[in-house]
Coordinates of all heavy atoms in Angstrom, one line a residue:
I57 N -27.0 5.9 -25.5 CA -26.5 4.6 -25.1 C -25.7 4.6 -23.8 O -24.9 5.6 -23.6 CB -25.6 4.0 -26.2 CG1 -26.5 3.8 -27.5 CG2 -25.0 2.6 -25.8 CD1 -25.7 3.5 -28.7
V58 N -25.8 3.7 -22.9 CA -25.0 3.5 -21.7 C -24.2 2.3 -21.8 O -24.7 1.2 -22.2 CB -25.9 3.5 -20.5 CG1 -25.1 3.0 -19.3 CG2 -26.4 5.0 -20.1
V59 N -22.9 2.4 -21.5 CA -22.0 1.2 -21.5 C -21.6 1.1 -20.0 O -20.9 1.9 -19.5 CB -20.8 1.3 -22.4 CG1 -19.9 0.1 -22.2 CG2 -21.2 1.5 -23.8
D60 N -22.1 0.0 -19.3 CA -21.9 -0.2 -17.9 C -22.7 0.7 -17.0 O -22.9 1.9 -17.5 CB -20.4 -0.2 -17.5 CG -19.7 -1.5 -18.0 OD1 -20.3 -2.5 -18.3 OD2 -18.4 -1.4 -18.1
C61 N -23.0 0.3 -15.9 CA -23.8 1.1 -14.9 C -23.5 0.6 -13.5 O -24.3 0.0 -12.9 CB -25.3 1.0 -15.3 SG -26.3 2.3 -14.4
G62 N -22.3 1.0 -13.0 CA -21.8 0.5 -11.8 C -22.1 1.3 -10.6 O -22.5 2.4 -10.6
L63 N -21.9 0.6 -9.4 CA -22.1 1.2 -8.1 C -20.8 1.9 -7.7 O -19.7 1.3 -7.8 CB -22.5 0.2 -7.1 CG -23.2 0.6 -5.9 CD1 -24.6 1.2 -6.1 CD2 -23.3 -0.7 -5.0
F64 N -20.9 3.1 -7.1 CA -19.8 3.8 -6.5 C -19.5 3.2 -5.1 O -20.5 3.0 -4.4 CB -20.0 5.3 -6.4 CG -20.0 6.0 -7.7 CD1 -21.2 6.2 -8.3 CD2 -18.8 6.5 -8.2 CE1 -21.2 6.9 -9.5 CE2 -18.8 7.2 -9.4 CZ -20.0 7.4 -10.1
Q65 N -18.3 2.8 -4.9 CA -17.9 2.2 -3.6 C -17.1 3.1 -2.7 O -17.0 2.8 -1.5 CB -17.2 0.8 -3.8 CG -18.2 -0.2 -4.5 CD -17.5 -1.4 -5.0 OE1 -16.7 -1.4 -5.9 NE2 -17.7 -2.5 -4.3
E66 N -16.5 4.1 -3.2 CA -15.8 5.1 -2.4 C -16.8 5.9 -1.6 O -17.8 6.4 -2.2 CB -14.9 6.0 -3.2 CG -13.9 5.3 -4.1 CD -14.3 5.0 -5.5 OE1 -15.6 5.1 -5.8 OE2 -13.5 4.7 -6.4
K67 N -16.6 6.1 -0.3 CA -17.5 6.8 0.5 C -17.8 8.2 0.0 O -18.9 8.7 0.0 CB -17.0 6.8 1.9 CG -17.1 5.5 2.6 CD -16.7 5.6 4.1 CE -16.8 4.2 4.8 NZ -16.4 4.3 6.2
E68 N -16.7 8.9 -0.5 CA -16.9 10.3 -0.9 C -17.7 10.4 -2.2 O -18.2 11.5 -2.5 CB -15.5 10.9 -1.1 CG -14.7 10.3 -2.2 CD -13.8 9.2 -1.7 OE1 -14.1 8.6 -0.7 OE2 -12.8 9.0 -2.4
N69 N -17.9 9.3 -2.9 CA -18.7 9.3 -4.1 C -20.1 8.7 -3.9 O -20.8 8.6 -4.9 CB -18.0 8.6 -5.2 CG -16.7 9.3 -5.7 OD1 -16.6 10.5 -5.6 ND2 -15.7 8.5 -6.1
D70 N -20.5 8.4 -2.7 CA -21.7 7.7 -2.5 C -22.9 8.5 -3.0 O -23.9 7.9 -3.4 CB -21.9 7.4 -1.0 CG -23.2 6.6 -0.7 OD1 -23.3 5.5 -1.3 OD2 -24.0 7.2 0.0
S71 N -22.9 9.8 -2.9 CA -24.0 10.7 -3.4 C -24.3 10.5 -4.9 O -25.4 10.6 -5.3 CB -23.7 12.1 -3.1 OG -22.6 12.6 -3.8
Y72 N -23.3 10.1 -5.6 CA -23.5 9.8 -7.0 C -24.4 8.6 -7.3 O -24.9 8.4 -8.4 CB -22.2 9.6 -7.8 CG -21.2 10.8 -7.8 CD1 -19.9 10.7 -7.8 CD2 -21.8 12.1 -7.8 CE1 -19.0 11.8 -7.9 CE2 -20.9 13.2 -7.8 CZ -19.5 13.0 -7.8 OH -18.7 14.1 -7.9
N73 N -24.5 7.7 -6.3 CA -25.3 6.5 -6.5 C -26.8 6.8 -6.6 O -27.5 5.9 -7.1 CB -25.0 5.5 -5.4 CG -23.7 4.8 -5.5 OD1 -23.3 4.5 -6.6 ND2 -23.1 4.5 -4.4
R74 N -27.2 8.0 -6.2 CA -28.6 8.2 -6.0 C -29.4 8.5 -7.3 O -30.6 8.4 -7.3 CB -28.8 9.4 -5.1 CG -28.3 9.2 -3.7 CD -29.3 8.3 -2.9 NE -28.6 7.4 -2.0 CZ -29.2 6.4 -1.4 NH1 -30.5 6.2 -1.5 NH2 -28.5 5.6 -0.6
G75 N -28.7 8.8 -8.4 CA -29.4 9.1 -9.6 C -28.5 9.2 -10.8 O -27.3 9.0 -10.7
F76 N -29.1 9.7 -11.9 CA -28.3 9.8 -13.2 C -28.6 11.2 -13.7 O -29.7 11.8 -13.6 CB -28.7 8.8 -14.2 CG -28.6 7.4 -13.7 CD1 -29.8 6.7 -13.2 CD2 -27.4 6.7 -13.7 CE1 -29.7 5.4 -12.7 CE2 -27.3 5.4 -13.2 CZ -28.5 4.8 -12.7
P77 N -27.6 11.8 -14.4 CA -27.8 13.1 -15.1 C -28.4 13.0 -16.5 O -28.1 13.7 -17.4 CB -26.4 13.6 -15.2 CG -25.5 12.4 -15.3 CD -26.2 11.3 -14.5
F78 N -29.3 12.0 -16.6 CA -30.0 11.8 -17.9 C -31.3 11.0 -17.5 O -31.5 10.5 -16.4 CB -29.2 10.9 -18.9 CG -28.7 9.6 -18.4 CD1 -29.5 8.5 -18.2 CD2 -27.4 9.5 -18.0 CE1 -29.0 7.3 -17.7 CE2 -26.9 8.3 -17.5 CZ -27.7 7.2 -17.4
D79 N -32.3 11.0 -18.4 CA -33.5 10.3 -18.2 C -33.4 8.9 -18.6 O -33.2 8.6 -19.8 CB -34.6 11.0 -19.1 CG -34.9 12.4 -18.6 OD1 -34.8 12.6 -17.4 OD2 -35.3 13.3 -19.4
A80 N -33.5 8.0 -17.7 CA -33.4 6.5 -17.9 C -34.4 6.1 -19.0 O -34.0 5.2 -19.8 CB -33.5 5.8 -16.7
D81 N -35.6 6.6 -19.0 CA -36.6 6.1 -19.9 C -36.3 6.6 -21.4 O -37.0 6.2 -22.3 CB -38.0 6.5 -19.5 CG -38.2 8.0 -19.4 OD1 -37.1 8.8 -19.3 OD2 -39.3 8.5 -19.3
K82 N -35.3 7.5 -21.6 CA -35.0 8.0 -22.9 C -33.9 7.2 -23.5 O -33.5 7.5 -24.7 CB -34.7 9.4 -22.9 CG -35.8 10.3 -22.3 CD -37.0 10.4 -23.3 CE -37.9 11.5 -23.0 NZ -38.4 11.5 -21.6
L83 N -33.3 6.3 -22.8 CA -32.1 5.5 -23.3 C -32.6 4.5 -24.4 O -33.6 3.9 -24.2 CB -31.4 4.7 -22.2 CG -30.7 5.6 -21.1 CD1 -30.1 4.7 -20.1 CD2 -29.6 6.4 -21.8
D84 N -31.8 4.3 -25.4 CA -32.1 3.4 -26.5 C -31.5 2.0 -26.2 O -32.0 1.0 -26.6 CB -31.5 3.9 -27.8 CG -32.2 5.1 -28.3 OD1 -33.3 5.0 -28.9 OD2 -31.7 6.2 -28.1
C85 N -30.4 2.0 -25.4 CA -29.7 0.7 -25.3 C -28.7 0.8 -24.1 O -28.2 1.8 -23.8 CB -28.9 0.4 -26.6 SG -27.9 -1.1 -26.6
V86 N -28.5 -0.4 -23.4 CA -27.5 -0.5 -22.4 C -26.7 -1.7 -22.7 O -27.2 -2.8 -23.1 CB -28.1 -0.6 -21.0 CG1 -27.1 -0.9 -20.0 CG2 -28.9 0.6 -20.6

Side-chain angles (χ1 to χ4, degrees):
I57 298 170
V58 161
V59 179
D60 287 341
C61 192
L63 199 66
F64 290 92
Q65 293 170 290
E66 302 95 344
K67 289 183 179 179
E68 63 270 23
N69 292 330
D70 182 62
S71 61
Y72 295 151
N73 282 326
R74 295 285 142 189
F76 305 99
F78 53 77
D79 294 325
D81 60 343
K82 299 294 195 303
L83 293 176
D84 294 278
C85 177
V86 173

